[in-house]
Amino acid sequence: MDEKSSSETRGNSIRCRAAVSRKPGEPLVLEEVMVAPPMPHEVRIRIICTSLCHSDITFWKLKDFPGIFPRILGHEAIGVVESVGEDVDEVSEGDTVIPTFMPDCGDCVDCRSKKSNLCSKLPFKVSPWMPRHETSRFTDLKGEVLYHFLFVSSFSEYTVVDVAHVTKIDPSIAPNRACLLSCGVSTGVGAAWRTADVEKGSTVVIFGLGSIGLAVAEGARLCGATKIIGVDLNPDKFETGKKFGVTDFVNSGNCGDKSVSQVINEMTDGGADYCFECVGMASLVHEAYACCRKGWGKTIVLGVDRPGAKLSLSSFEVLHSGKSLMGSLFGGLKAKSDIPILLKKYLDKELQLDEFVTHEVRFDDINKAFDLLIEGNCLRCVIWMDKQASS
C-alpha cells in the first residue's frame, strides 16, 4: 500500500502487500494481507527495507515444526513506527527502528546484567506468534491466520513487533546498511566482541566464511586479532575474507590425511585462542574444540544445526584441557545498547557494512534474492519495499 499518515491508519487494520511462504520450499507469494493494530507493548512498523538471512531459507524449507505455514518470513530489517499500542513509551510514531529476533526488555535479571543477553521475561523461542499474547497480527484476505517468524516477519510492507524487540536508531543512517545490524552482522561481530571478548594480538579460527563467519572476522579485526584463519570448502572465500581481516585460509576439503584441527594446531603451534563455528554442524564444533588452545582456548558456536543434533565430547578432555565451549545467540549483544554502538562505529568508518551488501532488489523480486543466496552468489541481498533497486 502507499505510505499513509498515522492519523489515517492508527487503531485500524492496514491492508498491504506481503511475501507469504505458503508451502515449504516453494516461491513466496506476493499478495495483499491485513495487518492488525498493535496490542499493548507492541509497535506497528512500516518496513523500509529488509535483507535475506540463511535462517529464513532454513525455515522456508522445513516441512515439520518449527516449520509452519502459511508464514511471513524475514527478520533482518529497518522501518518507521506507524503506530504504537498501550504501555509503549520508548518509541513514538515516526521513529526509525531496527527490529531484532532477540528481546531486550530492560526489566528482567538477565537484561539488567552485563553477563547475558538471554531475556528471561520474554525468552527466545521459534514461535509462530507474538511473544506476549501468543496470537498473530496477520491474516490473508480470506481471514486465514498467517504465522509470524522470529517475532519480526519483515517480508511485509507493515509488521507488528513487540517493543522489547525494537531499537530506535538515528534516521540519517542509510537504511540498506543499518538493516544488516538487525541480525547477521551483529551476530558475527558481537560473537567476537561481546561473547568471546577477543584480545588484541590473538589468533582466531573461523569455520565457515559465509556472511556470519565474515562478520566474525570483521569483529575479530576490530578487536585487534593478528591472525584470523578462515576454514571453508570454497577457496574463493579467501579473497572475500581478506576484505574483513582474514589473514590465512584452510581448505577443509584439501587437508590430505590430516583433520582440519590437526592442520590448524600445526599452523598455530598448539591451537588458536578463539575458534568460531559458523556453519551449524556438530562435527565442525568438535573440530573447532579440538583446535582451540589448551588452558585458555574458547570455542564459540554460532551455527544453527538441524533439530536434535548432539555433541559428544570426552569428559577426560573437558577436564584436562581447560578449554571453554559456549553458544552465542545474536552475538551476545543487547540490542538497545549495542546496536547504536555498532552504528557509530560504522559512521566513524571503523566497522565495515558496505562490503556485506552484494545485491539489492525490489520487493517484487524477493524470490530472486532467495535464488542468489541459495546459489552462493551473495553475502547479503537487500530488498527495498517501495523503490527501484539495482543488483
Side-chain angles (χ1 to χ4, degrees):
M1 65 171 283
D2 294 332
E3 181 183 345
K4 294 184 178 181
S5 69
S6 293
S7 60
E8 295 179 67
T9 56
R10 189 188 306 118
N12 299 313
S13 291
I14 289 179
R15 180 169 172 166
C16 69
R17 292 199 310 159
V20 181
S21 179
R22 289 203 165 271
K23 293 182 179 180
E26 293 193 3
L28 306 190
V29 180
L30 278 164
E31 59 184 86
E32 290 195 318
V33 302
M34 302 302 296
V35 184
M39 292 182 70
H41 305 286
E42 295 177 357
V43 178
R44 188 160 60 187
I45 301 168
R46 176 177 61 82
I47 298 294
I48 299 171
C49 59
T50 182
S51 45
L52 183 62
C53 176
H54 273 286
S55 297
D56 297 304
I57 290 177
T58 298
F59 282 87
W60 169 66
K61 290 179 176 178
L62 278 182
K63 295 180 181 179
D64 300 313
F65 194 84
I68 189 170
F69 302 89
R71 181 178 235 165
I72 298 177
L73 296 168
H75 64 286
E76 194 171 271
I78 185 173
V80 175
V81 175
E82 173 271 336
S83 61
V84 301
E86 296 175 12
D87 302 316
V88 173
D89 53 18
E90 62 182 272
V91 296
S92 306
E93 294 173 6
D95 284 345
T96 300
V97 295
I98 288 178
T100 55
F101 72 91
M102 284 293 285
D104 186 358
C105 77
D107 295 327
C108 71
V109 63
D110 295 274
C111 289
R112 291 197 309 269
S113 168
K114 294 180 180 179
K115 299 178 183 178
S116 171
N117 71 335
L118 303 178
C119 178
S120 51
K121 186 175 182 179
L122 299 168
F124 172 74
K125 55 186 175 181
V126 183
S127 167
W129 310 114
M130 293 294 292
R132 293 181 206 250
H133 304 285
E134 299 212 329
T135 51
S136 175
R137 302 292 165 269
F138 299 112
T139 53
D140 65 14
L141 296 188
K142 295 178 181 177
E144 181 183 9
V145 168
L146 303 173
Y147 297 108
H148 289 253
F149 181 59
L150 295 182
F151 308 123
V152 176
S153 291
S154 57
F155 294 166
S156 172
E157 291 175 330
Y158 286 81
T159 189
V160 178
V161 181
D162 191 282
V163 70
H165 293 261
V166 170
T167 297
K168 180 180 176 180
I169 67 159
D170 180 349
S172 68
I173 300 171
N176 58 342
R177 299 299 184 258
C179 70
L180 303 184
L181 295 181
S182 183
C183 179
V185 174
S186 287
T187 295
V189 171
W193 171 41
R194 289 296 195 210
T195 304
D197 191 18
V198 168
E199 295 177 318
K200 188 174 182 179
S202 58
T203 298
V204 168
V205 177
I206 302 165
F207 287 78
L209 291 182
S211 55
I212 300 294
L214 293 172
V216 171
E218 176 68 2
R221 181 190 68 80
L222 281 171
C223 291
T226 51
K227 193 179 190 72
I228 303 175
I229 304 169
V231 180
D232 205 285
L233 285 166
N234 182 353
D236 296 337
K237 296 285 184 72
F238 187 24
E239 284 306 309
T240 305
K242 288 177 181 177
K243 300 176 186 176
F244 302 97
V246 175
T247 59
D248 300 83
F249 182 79
V250 173
N251 184 333
S252 53
N254 192 26
C255 293
D257 58 357
K258 297 180 180 178
S259 66
V260 174
S261 57
Q262 286 176 310
V263 171
I264 290 170
N265 281 327
E266 291 174 6
M267 290 175 67
T268 57
D269 191 25
D273 302 306
Y274 307 93
C275 293
F276 297 84
E277 197 284 333
C278 304
V279 178
M281 290 177 62
S283 60
L284 290 183
V285 175
H286 289 139
E287 286 290 284
Y289 188 75
C291 64
C292 74
R293 189 168 189 85
K294 65 176 173 35
W296 65 72
K298 292 182 181 179
T299 297
I300 296 91
V301 179
L302 291 83
V304 180
D305 206 337
R306 58 183 172 77
K310 300 205 184 302
L311 297 174
S312 178
L313 296 172
S314 158
S315 60
F316 180 90
E317 184 184 6
V318 171
L319 174 63
H320 288 261
S321 69
K323 304 175 184 181
S324 300
L325 173 64
M326 62 193 74
S328 181
L329 265 180
F330 195 55
L333 298 185
K334 293 181 182 293
K336 295 181 193 290
S337 54
D338 286 332
I339 286 178
I341 292 173
L342 292 179
L343 285 171
K344 185 176 187 306
K345 288 183 183 293
Y346 170 66
L347 292 175
D348 292 343
K349 302 190 183 306
E350 296 175 32
L351 172 67
Q352 299 182 100
L353 290 180
D354 300 354
E355 292 76 7
F356 284 96
V357 180
T358 53
H359 298 79
E360 300 189 13
V361 300
R362 296 178 302 119
F363 191 34
D364 288 343
D365 297 323
I366 189 170
N367 286 305
K368 179 183 176 183
F370 274 69
D371 293 339
L372 288 166
L373 200 59
I374 291 168
E375 292 164 5
N377 292 329
C378 79
L379 292 178
R380 273 299 185 266
C381 182
V382 173
I383 301 152
W384 288 92
M385 306 306 282
D386 62 356
K387 64 180 279 189
Q388 296 289 328
S390 60
S391 60

